[in-house]
Amino acid sequence: MEPPAAATSVTLRDVAAASGVSVSTASRALDERGTASRSAAAVHVRKIAEELGYRRNSFASSLRRGETRTLGVLVPRLSDTVMALMFEELERAAAARGYFAMVATSGDDPDDERRAAETLLDRNVDGLILATARLDDELPRLLRKRAVAHALVLRTDGESPSALGDDEVGGYLAVRHLVDLGHQDIAVVTGPSFTSSGLARLAGARKAMDEAGLSTPEDWLIAAGYGIENGYTAGEYLLAKSTGKRPTAIFAANDNIAMGIMASAHRSGITVGKDLALVGYNDTPLSARLPTPLSSVRVPLDQIAATAIELIVNPGMEPRIRRAMPTLIPRESSGGPRHT
């Protein structure tokens, strides 16, 4: 079969005629929104379309349906490993449902976040996915008021549709692991107090310590940022020899914090995995490749991303707040059983 000349735009009608089927049958066979039909007719139509060089005009067909098949994703910053990984999974999950995901950053600034959201909405996205972290954020409430399809990822405000890991369970697993190894002097360095993830991970850590009958000094429960530098500063404080008693174990509420604590411990001559047990959170790719591989709580980002897309596509889906189960991945940084 000779394909049309390069200047010729192959239409759906051309594909239907060449395939010997109706235009509606050809349209259904080439519809990318759902699972591709495996019927002989559909396979034949797709083969003919490929031979003719047909390209579906997604924009035009979306306009006819009153949608753009595009989703906007708001993240604080893409320099954060977890945010970058989360966006990649959202992009894959969106593509699997026939959507295109575009990203904008807010830098954790509420005003910049609202401006970015309005810019995305001006581009007629079919929904917004927010990975921004502040509990005092007004944007989800405004989106609910305007009936804009949206979902929160890796966080929740308790009202908007949300897909996240069960942070309280994750915090519990991390500290329970340290308790089971025999540690009694455990510190926790968590995220900012304005984040649902930081508060929930701390709540889980407290639950594990309460179960074990452990009393932790309040100044060993540190609310920091999620950056490596925040972990380093917290590590300097907790591991300083001048403070007298030091923790034998630390739960860091993300891997960046844990890496900062590792650096601080090294500078103080403290060996992680021997003198200090350390557990992080999120199990980022670098964690297993550090000089002392980091024990960490793994969160199923792919599952969270797929759920977020479903919450957008099916806005009436219940429950609206869905938590995926985390898993503890023990490595050398938490050491072996402690003899007390």
Side-chain angles (χ1 to χ4, degrees):
M1 178 182 296
E2 289 293 327
T8 303
S9 177
V10 180
T11 67
L12 182 63
R13 192 173 297 279
D14 294 332
V15 175
S19 304
V21 299
S22 68
V23 173
S24 60
T25 298
S27 178
R28 286 194 298 272
L30 298 172
D31 193 338
E32 299 169 351
R33 290 176 293 167
T35 303
S37 170
R38 296 183 180 180
S39 71
V43 171
H44 175 65
V45 169
R46 288 194 289 271
K47 182 174 182 295
I48 295 298
E50 184 177 356
E51 290 174 352
L52 292 175
Y54 171 76
R55 294 190 63 187
R56 181 171 175 269
N57 190 336
S58 300
F59 182 70
S61 59
S62 293
L63 286 180
R64 286 194 297 272
R65 294 190 301 267
E67 57 185 19
T68 61
R69 310 297 294 177
T70 303
L71 300 175
V73 181
L74 271 171
V75 300
R77 59 190 61 81
L78 284 172
S79 57
D80 183 293
T81 303
V82 175
M83 290 296 105
L85 293 172
M86 186 74 256
F87 177 66
E88 287 181 1
E89 293 296 347
L90 286 166
E91 204 171 30
R92 289 191 191 98
R97 294 300 303 266
Y99 284 83
F100 174 76
M102 65 171 66
V103 67
T105 59
S106 69
D108 265 337
D109 183 286
D111 292 333
D112 287 346
E113 181 189 42
R114 281 193 287 275
R115 279 192 288 269
E118 290 298 338
T119 299
L120 290 169
L121 291 173
D122 286 345
R123 283 159 173 72
N124 295 320
V125 295
D126 295 332
L128 288 177
I129 296 174
L130 311 180
T132 43
R134 303 187 68 96
L135 281 171
D136 57 0
D137 186 0
E138 285 288 297
L139 183 57
R141 182 185 65 81
L142 294 174
L143 294 176
R144 292 194 300 271
K145 185 176 180 180
R146 292 166 57 179
V148 174
H150 68 286
L152 313 185
V153 291
L154 300 179
R155 58 165 288 200
T156 182
D157 65 352
E159 294 187 56
S160 283
S162 308
L164 65 160
D166 195 317
D167 291 307
E168 185 168 339
V169 169
Y172 175 87
L173 290 174
V175 174
R176 186 72 240 182
H177 173 59
L178 295 171
V179 169
D180 289 344
L181 289 172
H183 291 277
Q184 297 182 356
D185 300 318
I186 303 171
V188 178
V189 184
T190 188
S193 57
F194 59 73
T195 63
S196 64
S197 57
L199 292 177
R201 290 170 198 176
L202 176 58
R206 283 183 179 273
K207 181 179 179 181
M209 287 188 278
D210 289 344
E211 278 186 2
L214 302 181
S215 177
T216 301
E218 283 299 315
D219 61 346
W220 283 11
L221 305 175
I222 299 175
Y226 277 132
I228 293 176
E229 67 282 358
N230 303 113
Y232 187 88
T233 301
E236 279 191 316
Y237 173 76
L238 291 168
L239 302 175
K241 293 180 180 179
S242 60
T243 60
K245 187 177 182 180
R246 294 186 309 215
T248 63
I250 300 176
F251 164 47
N254 82 347
D255 289 350
N256 282 343
I257 295 173
M259 290 176 202
I261 292 171
M262 276 185 166
S264 178
H266 178 74
R267 183 162 184 170
S268 299
I270 296 170
T271 303
V272 172
K274 181 181 177 182
D275 306 319
L276 175 72
L278 181 63
V279 178
Y281 204 102
N282 287 317
D283 194 34
T284 52
L286 184 59
S287 301
R289 296 168 177 81
L290 293 168
T292 302
L294 178 65
S295 299
S296 190
V297 176
R298 179 177 296 167
V299 181
L301 296 183
D302 56 343
Q303 182 181 338
I304 290 169
T307 300
I309 301 301
E310 283 299 319
L311 287 167
I312 293 281
V313 174
N314 300 307
M317 190 168 72
E318 294 290 344
R320 295 196 305 166
I321 299 174
R322 300 191 168 216
R323 292 178 171 85
M325 281 297 108
T327 307
L328 175 73
I329 309 297
R331 297 192 181 98
E332 294 173 26
S333 72
S334 51
R338 180 178 176 82
H339 300 290
T340 58

